[in-house]
């Protein structure tokens, strides 16, 4: 799958009562020396009239022991609890993070957000154009509550791990839940306003077309200006004119700014991630990763977010620059759907969990 098709597919798709379900993993029988084996169990919780479906992973642990527990938040578009957008994009990013954290003795909850997996659109089924950023944030906050209520979870060691847009959502959820999380891992985080990111990514696609000879320099300049103008018009509430923009990008913009997605796009774009970061509780342990081969969230966009985290007096490992890693935490050049996390990404997670690690 090419970079162009991955970007267009992902962007085009943008659009607290806890009920514990029956366990579906291996039976929790106490073994020798009082240890329980690792188990996955299916849980569900209700928020805003929608039942959300999730998986809790509990690592092997000593009977009666409460452990650190992390809520996992996926990236943009229809990304499910495993970090996939089937059938096209299936890197299993969150499933792999689950395994990595489980190896450190950290339990996890990951869920199918609106528009994905078993959850689907829920209450928005009849009118998906009503969904907005706040709805996803409330759903994630309810998921945090479901994690907090798991019998193995230590309420004093609750964490949030977000990938891409999920990292932005982690920043939004952390100040509104109780108890506030003691740690956040922001992996390849959305660190700019959404439409600034879109403008930059689409300009890069135009640059590629110019370099490949598919567009002249003048056509490239006209397209870049047209994209920026369309974004400015949408932000200002003016009619959006995509005429003159290459057809694939014009179609994408018309979809994003159309009635199905406009409310979500507008409410996401209203959030400036560094502003959200400044609201974190002082002392929160935070890791931020950026891969030097990440063309979605390049390292040069990260400093304002890192500076805001310093303003908030967060602690922890801070920024981890991951040489030659892409947006899916793969070594550069790795096929997008390879189900692997690079050693540097795994080490960043291990460094993050150090205070709560259990052998």
């Amino acid at each position: 799958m090419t970079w162009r098709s991955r970007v267009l597919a992902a962007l085009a798709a943008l659009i607290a009562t806890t009920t514990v379900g029956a366990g579906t993993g291996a039976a929790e029988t106490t073994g020798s020396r009082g240890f329980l084996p690792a188990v996955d169990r299916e849980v569900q919780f209700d928020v805003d009239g929608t039942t959300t479906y999730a998986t809790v992973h509990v690592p092997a642990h000593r009977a009666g022991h409460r452990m650190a527990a992390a809520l996992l938040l996926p990236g943009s578009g229809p990304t499910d609890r495993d970090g996939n957008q089937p059938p096209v994009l299936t890197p299993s990013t969150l499933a792999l993070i689950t395994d990595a954290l489980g190896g450190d003795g950290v339990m996890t909850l990951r869920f199918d957000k609106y528009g994905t997996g078993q959850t689907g659109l829920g209450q928005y089924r009849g009118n998906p154009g009503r969904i907005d950023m706040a709805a996803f944030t409330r759903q994630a906050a309810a998921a945090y509550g479901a994690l907090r209520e798991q019998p193995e979870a230590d309420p004093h060691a609750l964490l949030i791990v977000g990938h891409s847009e999920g990292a932005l959502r982690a920043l939004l959820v952390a100040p509104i839940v109780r108890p506030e999380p003691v740690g956040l891992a922001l992996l390849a985080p959305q660190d700019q306003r959404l439409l600034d990111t879109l403008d930059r990514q689409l300009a890069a696609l135009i640059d590629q077309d110019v370099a490949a000879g598919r567009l002249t320099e003048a056509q490239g300049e006209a397209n870049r200006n047209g994209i920026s103008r369309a974004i400015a018009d949408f932000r200002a509430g003016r009619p959006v004119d995509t005429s003159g923009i290459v057809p694939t990008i014009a179609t994408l913009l018309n979809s994003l700014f159309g009635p199905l997605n406009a409310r979500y796009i507008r409410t996401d774009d209203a959030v400036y991630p560094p502003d959200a970061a400044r609201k974190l509780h002082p002392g929160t342990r935070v890791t931020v990763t950026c891969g030097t081969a990440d063309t979605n969230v390049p390292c040069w966009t990260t400093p304002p977010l890192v500076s805001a985290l310093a303003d908030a007096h967060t602690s922890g490992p801070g920024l981890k620059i991951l040489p030659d890693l892409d947006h899916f935490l793969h070594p550069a050049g790795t096929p997008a759907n390879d189900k692997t996390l690079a050693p540097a990404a795994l080490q960043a997670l291990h460094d993050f969990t150090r205070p709560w690690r259990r052998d």
Side-chain angles (χ1 to χ4, degrees), residues 22-32 34-42 56-61 63 152:
T24 59
E28 290 195 10
T29 57
T30 303
S32 61
F35 271 85
L36 298 174
V39 61
D40 287 331
R41 61 171 174 261
E42 299 302 298
V56 169
H57 176 72
V58 183
H61 63 286
E152 304 89 349

Side-chain angles (χ1 to χ4, degrees), residues 97-115:
I97 291 171
T98 292
D99 292 342
L101 296 179
D104 286 343
V106 177
M107 65 180 291
T108 55
L109 183 149
R110 61 192 198 273
F111 64 96
D112 289 332
K113 68 178 182 179
Y114 290 119

Side-chain angles (χ1 to χ4, degrees), residues 71 73 136-137 140-141 144 160 168-177 181:
L71 172 65
L73 297 177
F136 282 98
T137 300
Y144 184 91
I160 305 180
L168 171 58
R169 189 153 293 117
L171 293 172
L172 297 175
V173 169
I176 66 173
V177 293

Side-chain angles (χ1 to χ4, degrees), residues 2-4 201-215 224 295:
T2 66
W3 157 244
R4 168 186 288 271
Q201 291 178 341
L202 295 183
L205 294 178
I206 295 297
D207 290 344
Q208 291 176 13
D209 282 348
V210 171
R214 292 185 290 267
L215 295 174
R224 286 188 292 269
T295 52

Side-chain angles (χ1 to χ4, degrees), residues 189-209:
Q190 179 183 330
D191 52 17
Q192 297 178 306
R193 292 177 66 188
L194 177 63
L195 292 181
D196 290 339
T197 298
L198 178 67
D199 196 358
R200 172 176 50 77
Q201 291 178 341
L202 295 183
L205 294 178
I206 295 297
D207 290 344
Q208 291 176 13
D209 282 348

Side-chain angles (χ1 to χ4, degrees), residues 297-309:
V297 184
C299 286
W300 64 263
T301 66
T302 305
L305 176 62
V306 173
S307 178
L309 291 167

